Amino acid sequence: ETFENVPGRGVRATVDGDEVFVGNRRLLADAGIDPAPAAAETERLEGEGKTAMLVARRRAGAETGEVVGVVADADTVKPTAADAVAALRDRGVEVAMITGDNERTARAVAERVGIDPENVRAEVLPEDKADAVEAIQSDGRRAMMVGDGVNDAPALAVAYVGTAIGSGTDVAVEAADVTLMRSDPLDVVKAIRVSEATLAKIKQNLVWALGYNTAMIPLASLGLLQPVLAAAAMAVSSVSV
């Protein structure tokens, strides 16, 4: 009869007069339900990198409820994720994970893709992701946040460079500075490489353009540069740039 989404915890609803809860340990703790009976199964699933969601029921009129099951799901790790992390680290980029998943699941996934355990920030509520990015940047570092969901939008906005996955939500794309057209993690590395090459080319062009002007303006002011030669030098500088 009723349904409520509890951000960062799960959902609760009324079914045939009973209260039903599906979510993490914090959801059950808030409802006064002990998650201990499912602890062993939950830990086993989380150790496999899956997100375990506890299912509990509190019958109508009862003061306490009980755990009745565990549902586990898992995001499929992209085949190129580990290669992308390795490529970023080879470039001297520190890679971190910010996720709402529990610590055990987050660390299992991080280990699979090559992210250092100390760079894993787990159980981060949606509204706290932006704070997590700002904390990374508080010591002067520049963070590049990559995300695709509604919950990622605030963090994408506060990051030095916000990068959205093209297949993500419209909110994430609008909040980001860069949008990757595919869902391939290696495109993050390509975006950095293209940006560096573009900046290098801009600097190279400035050097050439300033070089021509620095050499030719004194000659022209001394009357040593004929108009025809000046026009030719201008054309050569434009072509070379």
Side-chain angles (χ1 to χ4, degrees), residues 185-207:
L186 277 175
D187 282 358
V188 175
V189 185
K190 293 178 182 177
I192 295 175
R193 191 165 62 240
V194 169
S195 299
E196 290 178 345
T198 302
L199 190 58
K201 186 58 62 179
I202 290 171
K203 291 177 179 178
Q204 184 187 60
N205 286 342
L206 283 172
V207 169

Side-chain angles (χ1 to χ4, degrees), residues 18-154:
D18 297 344
E19 279 189 281
V20 177
F21 306 84
V22 183
N24 56 26
R25 298 174 182 84
R26 287 180 292 180
L27 179 72
L28 269 61
D30 291 345
I33 300 174
D34 183 13
E41 186 68 9
T42 301
E43 290 178 8
R44 181 186 68 81
L45 293 167
E46 290 173 349
E48 296 173 359
K50 299 175 182 176
T51 299
M53 295 169 286
L54 299 166
V55 183
R57 172 186 287 177
R58 180 158 56 202
R59 297 191 181 279
E63 293 185 1
T64 61
E66 60 179 353
V67 177
V68 296
V70 182
V71 178
D73 69 359
D75 289 326
T76 302
V77 176
K78 298 285 186 182
T80 57
D83 292 338
V85 172
L88 288 168
R89 295 180 68 172
D90 288 343
R91 298 177 71 87
V93 177
E94 188 176 355
V95 183
M97 175 192 293
I98 301 175
T99 177
D101 274 330
N102 67 81
E103 190 82 22
R104 190 177 291 107
T105 300
R107 288 182 179 274
V109 174
E111 183 178 355
R112 288 175 60 186
V113 299
I115 297 176
D116 291 334
E118 60 267 22
N119 288 342
V120 175
R121 292 166 173 80
E123 300 182 21
V124 180
L125 295 176
E127 61 268 24
D128 294 334
K129 284 190 174 182
D131 294 336
V133 173
E134 288 184 330
I136 293 173
Q137 298 182 138
S138 62
D139 58 359
R141 289 185 293 177
R142 295 174 175 178
M144 179 180 185
M145 169 71 183
V146 182
D148 64 352
V150 173
N151 295 338
D152 297 324

